């Protein structure tokens, strides 16, 4: 009788209790990940320096600089320990101010960035040429320096990197300077810049400047969702589309 009871106990533990416990543990882990606290950083973007006028369309460039000189745009970075999502604030995109719309495009409206820490899943969602594109985010190679300054009461260090932009006029190197704070241990920042040992609080990307305006560690109701709808292409392929479009436009002039 005792052996039968012992067998029943082992059977219940092995075939009912343990699988149920394992399922409960897995469900708890998934729930914990989904409920991970999301914080918010709001950045304000503005012109760092005017566009150069080496082009033959000097008047157009000057008029453009004048139009967006005093314009700003606001972006939100939603982040946690694992991932982040960066996009322009909705009210900025919905403006009826024509000059602001032009400035928004220059500042980065139409591009949202999803970054997953230590992963190849990081991607930019780019709306251009009447389509949506999903473009993998490159791994940034940063040069760290000991130069530092205070931004919003946080000690920040300077880091540098660069990237190449291609268009119908050739290849151009864009220099980037980021000021990050190791006191805020999140490797994210404006646009798709990431991988530094601290949150980026100030960024200079060629002609543009992005500065932290507000930082909240209160759990936000906004969720981080990886973009999945769009045509998957490489950055090189995206440049090729732009060159073809620009070439077709130039021939019509």
């Amino acid at each position: 009788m005792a052996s039968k009871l012992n067998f029943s106990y082992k059977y219940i533990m092995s075939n009912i209790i343990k699988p149920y416990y394992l399922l409960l543990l897995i469900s708890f882990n998934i729930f914990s990940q989904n409920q991970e606290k999301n914080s918010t950083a709001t950045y304000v973007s503005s012109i760092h320096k005017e566009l150069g006028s080496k082009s033959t369309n000097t008047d157009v460039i000057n008029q453009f600089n004048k139009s967006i000189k005093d314009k700003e745009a606001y972006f939100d970075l939603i982040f946690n320990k694992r991932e982040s999502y960066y996009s322009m604030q909705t009210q900025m995109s919905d403006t009826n101010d024509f000059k602001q719309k032009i400035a928004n495009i220059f500042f980065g409206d139409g591009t949202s960035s999803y970054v997953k820490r230590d992963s190849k899943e990081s991607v930019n969602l780019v709306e251009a040429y009447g389509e949506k594109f999903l473009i993998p985010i490159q791994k940034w190679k940063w040069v760290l320096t000991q130069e530092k300054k205070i931004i919003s009461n946080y000690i920040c260090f300077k880091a540098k990197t660069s990237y190449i932009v291609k268009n119908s006029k050739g290849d151009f190197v864009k220099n980037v300077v980021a000021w990050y704070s190791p006191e805020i241990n999140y490797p994210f920042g404006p646009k798709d810049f990431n991988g530094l040992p601290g949150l980026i609080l100030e960024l200079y990307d060629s002609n543009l400047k992005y500065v932290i305006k507000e930082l909240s560690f209160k759990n936000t109701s906004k969720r981080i969702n990886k973009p999945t709808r769009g045509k998957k292409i490489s950055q090189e392929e995206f440049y090729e589309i732009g060159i073809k479009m620009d070439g077709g436009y130039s021939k019509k002039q």
Side-chain angles (χ1 to χ4, degrees):
M1 183 68 177
S3 61
K4 287 184 177 181
L5 288 174
N6 188 41
F7 173 78
S8 298
Y9 173 77
K10 289 182 178 179
Y11 179 84
I12 291 172
M13 288 297 295
S14 299
N15 295 278
I16 299 177
I17 302 298
K18 286 185 177 179
Y20 175 77
Y21 176 76
L22 182 60
L23 181 61
L24 186 65
L25 185 61
I26 293 173
S27 299
F28 176 77
N29 286 335
I30 294 175
F31 176 79
S32 297
Q33 290 179 2
N34 291 337
Q35 295 298 310
E36 187 166 4
K37 178 180 176 182
N38 290 337
S39 302
T40 307
T42 298
Y43 295 90
V44 57
S45 177
S46 60
I47 297 297
H48 166 49
K49 56 184 178 181
E50 294 184 347
L51 289 178
S53 57
K54 295 180 180 179
S55 167
T56 54
N57 298 321
T58 304
D59 291 340
V60 175
I61 296 296
N62 290 339
Q63 185 61 39
F64 179 80
N65 285 327
K66 185 177 178 180
S67 297
I68 67 173
K69 181 179 179 181
D70 298 319
K71 297 296 183 182
E72 294 179 335
Y74 293 86
F75 296 82
D76 285 334
L77 176 73
I78 312 302
F79 62 96
N80 56 43
K81 287 294 184 181
R82 297 182 300 114
E83 57 188 351
S84 70
Y85 185 78
Y86 175 87
S87 62
M88 179 174 282
Q89 292 183 351
T90 305
Q91 62 268 30
M92 293 297 304
S93 297
D94 293 341
T95 181
N96 292 319
D97 183 339
F98 178 73
K99 290 184 178 180
Q100 185 64 56
K101 282 182 177 292
I102 297 298
N104 287 351
I105 294 172
F106 189 61
F107 292 141
D109 189 18
T111 299
S112 302
S113 302
Y114 169 81
V115 174
K116 188 169 184 180
R117 192 171 188 172
D118 301 322
S119 169
K120 294 182 180 180
E121 296 181 33
S122 300
V123 64
N124 281 322
L125 171 62
V126 181
E127 298 184 42
Y129 315 120
E131 291 189 68
K132 291 184 178 181
F133 301 96
L134 294 173
I135 305 174
I137 293 174
Q138 71 179 72
K139 185 175 182 180
W140 295 103
K141 296 180 180 179
W142 294 99
V143 176
L144 307 184
T145 76
Q146 293 303 308
E147 188 176 344
K148 59 184 178 179
K149 67 177 180 178
I150 303 295
I151 302 174
S152 297
N153 295 320
Y154 291 99
I155 298 175
C156 295
F157 289 87
K158 183 179 181 180
K160 298 181 290 185
T161 190
S162 63
Y163 62 98
I164 296 176
V165 170
K166 299 182 179 182
N167 59 36
S168 59
K169 292 184 175 15
D171 298 358
F172 302 89
V173 176
K174 302 292 185 178
N175 294 313
V176 178
V177 172
W179 291 90
Y180 68 94
S181 176
E183 297 178 53
I184 312 173
N185 190 24
Y186 296 88
F188 308 116
K191 305 180 78 173
D192 59 2
F193 294 103
N194 69 93
L196 285 168
L199 188 71
I200 297 173
L201 299 188
E202 190 170 292
L203 180 87
Y204 295 87
D205 178 10
S206 190
N207 303 82
L208 301 178
K209 177 172 69 173
Y210 299 82
V211 181
I212 192 75
K213 181 176 178 63
E214 185 177 348
L215 182 60
S216 174
F217 294 103
K218 293 181 180 179
N219 194 17
T220 177
S221 59
K222 296 179 181 179
R223 292 290 166 251
I224 299 174
N225 296 310
K226 179 184 176 182
T228 56
R229 294 184 178 181
K231 183 179 180 181
K232 295 181 179 180
I233 62 173
S234 67
Q235 185 66 62
E236 193 69 26
E237 289 172 326
F238 182 74
Y239 285 147
E240 289 175 4
I241 293 173
I243 291 171
K244 289 179 181 178
M245 295 290 288
D246 186 51
Y249 176 79
S250 298
K251 289 177 182 178
K252 295 178 182 179
Q253 302 307 302

